[in-house]
Amino acid sequence: MRLNIVILDRETLGRDLDIEPLRKLGDVMEYANTLPSETRDRIKDAHIVISNKVVLDKDTMQHSKNLRLICIAATGMNNVDLEGAKELGIEVKNVTNYSTNSVVQHTFAMLFYLLEHLKYYDNVVSSQLWTISGLFTDLSRPFFEISGKKWGIIGLGTIGLEVAKVATSFGAEVSYFSTSGLNQNSTYTKKELEELLKSSDIISIHAPLNENTLNLINDTNLPLLKNKAILLNLGRGGIINETDLAYELNRREIYAGLDVLSTEPIELDNPLMSIEHKDRLLITPHIAWTSVEARERLLSTIVEHIKEFKKEVQW
């Protein structure tokens, strides 16, 4: 008997990604995306479900009598009722460490864009202002070097550690804040949050969203940031209070790069959409994890999970 494999949000894998390895394992039904009202019907005959962000609760799963395996096309597992799946005898597998290189690279891409005012200078050339000036260079937006600056990392996990290594290679002095309080890394200086925010020229967030990190950065500690400091969030939306950040960006010269937001896609009434000083903010649509290589690793791991499953149940 052939496996019925259902992909609930194919668009999150990217149309450039070849899913032929999945087709070799069973009959694949793919949906670009799936609304909550559509989930139950779409998985009712599935043996295996692949989902990135589509929610799978116990009520939905228990109507799928053949469902034996859920492959989460991500690291985070909060979109699946894990206890419910366990009660129903459904195995749940996620994918870890596939996007580290991609996220680290995007961290620095966002940093350089803000640090060197690249949007401004691109416009200076395209608008012909440089040509009109008659000067061989343009010093109207000074930028500093990473070397010798202090870089604070919030969340020194796998990704945070790699960012620390690259930052150090640029000559930055790295410190970190442990959101759990449990991380004890002897290579870098551990600081309390307020001390890290006060002392750092660049701050990057690489932490999960949980009760310790929800609204971690807010109106009580954003004023602690140095003038011209750069704050980057590549962890999870909700760690930074976006209303408070918008206020601070309007109030004084700090910079922020966000790849994650509390609600995605961003809502039109999000205060970050209407800040006065737009050059102080860069938002990318949750793409840090999406390099071609990262998505290939993601799919490869999902394929391996399914192969292991087939061996276990002798399908």
Side-chain angles (χ1 to χ4, degrees):
M1 189 170 86
R2 293 275 289 175
L3 282 172
N4 290 328
I5 303 171
V6 176
I7 307 174
L8 291 174
D9 41 6
R10 173 70 170 86
E11 289 295 325
T12 66
L13 295 175
R15 285 295 169 183
D16 60 314
L17 190 66
D18 183 7
I19 63 167
E20 187 59 29
L22 287 173
R23 299 191 189 283
K24 293 178 180 178
L25 298 173
D27 297 321
V28 178
M29 176 63 71
E30 55 181 285
Y31 299 97
N33 203 1
T34 299
L35 298 172
S37 59
E38 299 170 328
T39 308
R40 181 186 296 184
D41 183 62
R42 289 182 174 181
I43 70 171
K44 64 181 180 181
D45 297 319
H47 298 107
I48 297 172
V49 169
I50 299 173
S51 171
N52 188 323
K53 293 293 184 288
V54 176
V55 173
L56 295 164
D57 57 27
K58 184 178 179 181
D59 180 62
T60 301
M61 291 185 289
Q62 68 186 1
H63 286 86
S64 303
K65 302 303 181 184
N66 297 323
L67 184 57
R68 300 288 300 278
L69 174 67
I70 294 172
C71 292
I72 302 175
T75 301
M77 304 175 74
N78 57 306
N79 60 314
V80 177
D81 180 349
L82 299 178
E83 285 300 316
K86 186 176 181 180
E87 291 175 20
L88 295 169
I90 301 169
E91 192 171 356
V92 182
K93 294 282 190 179
N94 67 334
V95 183
T96 60
N97 300 328
Y98 66 95
S99 65
T100 300
N101 292 342
S102 184
V103 177
V104 172
Q105 178 173 301
H106 195 66
T107 300
F108 284 86
M110 298 188 86
L111 171 66
F112 293 137
Y113 182 91
L114 293 166
L115 174 62
E116 299 197 1
H117 307 287
L118 296 183
K119 182 177 182 179
Y120 170 81
Y121 281 119
D122 180 52
N123 183 63
V124 163
V125 176
S126 61
S127 68
Q128 302 178 18
L129 287 174
W130 185 36
T131 304
I132 294 168
S133 74
L135 193 65
F136 86 94
T137 188
D138 186 321
L139 303 177
S140 54
R141 293 288 179 93
F143 63 88
F144 60 78
E145 297 178 357
I146 299 173
S147 180
K149 298 301 183 292
K150 295 183 178 180
W151 188 311
I153 295 177
I154 297 175
L156 198 69
T158 301
I159 293 173
L161 274 171
E162 290 303 310
V163 169
K165 292 176 185 176
V166 178
T168 301
S169 74
F170 273 99
E173 179 184 329
V174 174
S175 62
Y176 74 97
F177 168 70
S178 172
T179 59
S180 67
L182 302 176
N183 196 324
Q184 302 291 337
N185 186 291
S186 59
T187 304
Y188 306 105
T189 302
K190 185 176 183 178
K191 293 183 178 180
E192 292 302 316
L193 181 61
E194 288 194 0
E195 183 186 359
L196 181 140
L197 295 177
K198 286 179 181 178
S199 62
S200 299
D201 302 289
I202 302 163
I203 300 155
S204 61
I205 301 171
H206 308 283
L209 182 65
N210 52 43
E211 60 183 10
N212 294 325
T213 60
L214 179 63
N215 286 319
L216 182 70
I217 308 299
N218 54 61
D219 61 353
T220 65
N221 51 36
L222 279 166
L224 300 177
L225 267 63
K226 291 181 177 182
N227 195 43
K228 298 187 179 182
I230 298 174
L231 174 65
L232 307 170
N233 187 8
L234 293 100
R236 284 291 182 265
I239 295 177
I240 298 176
N241 184 296
E242 291 156 10
T243 299
D244 297 343
L245 177 61
Y247 174 81
E248 198 68 16
L249 287 167
N250 281 326
R251 189 176 75 88
R252 65 192 181 100
E253 189 181 0
I254 61 168
Y255 297 87
L258 312 174
D259 185 59
V260 288
L261 294 159
S262 56
T263 300
E264 297 171 344
I266 191 169
E267 297 177 326
L268 293 179
D269 62 353
N270 187 311
L272 292 171
M273 293 288 281
S274 56
I275 65 168
E276 180 181 350
H277 301 281
K278 297 188 182 301
D279 61 311
R280 298 177 183 174
L281 175 66
L282 170 63
I283 298 177
T284 53
H286 205 142
I287 62 169
W289 67 279
T290 66
S291 71
V292 171
E293 294 85 354
R295 288 180 290 118
E296 288 174 345
R297 287 190 290 269
L298 175 69
L299 179 62
S300 177
T301 303
I302 290 171
V303 168
E304 289 305 311
H305 286 331
I306 295 174
K307 287 180 178 179
E308 290 171 9
F309 165 77
K310 290 182 72 173
K311 287 181 180 178
E312 288 174 6
V313 301
Q314 297 181 340
W315 205 281

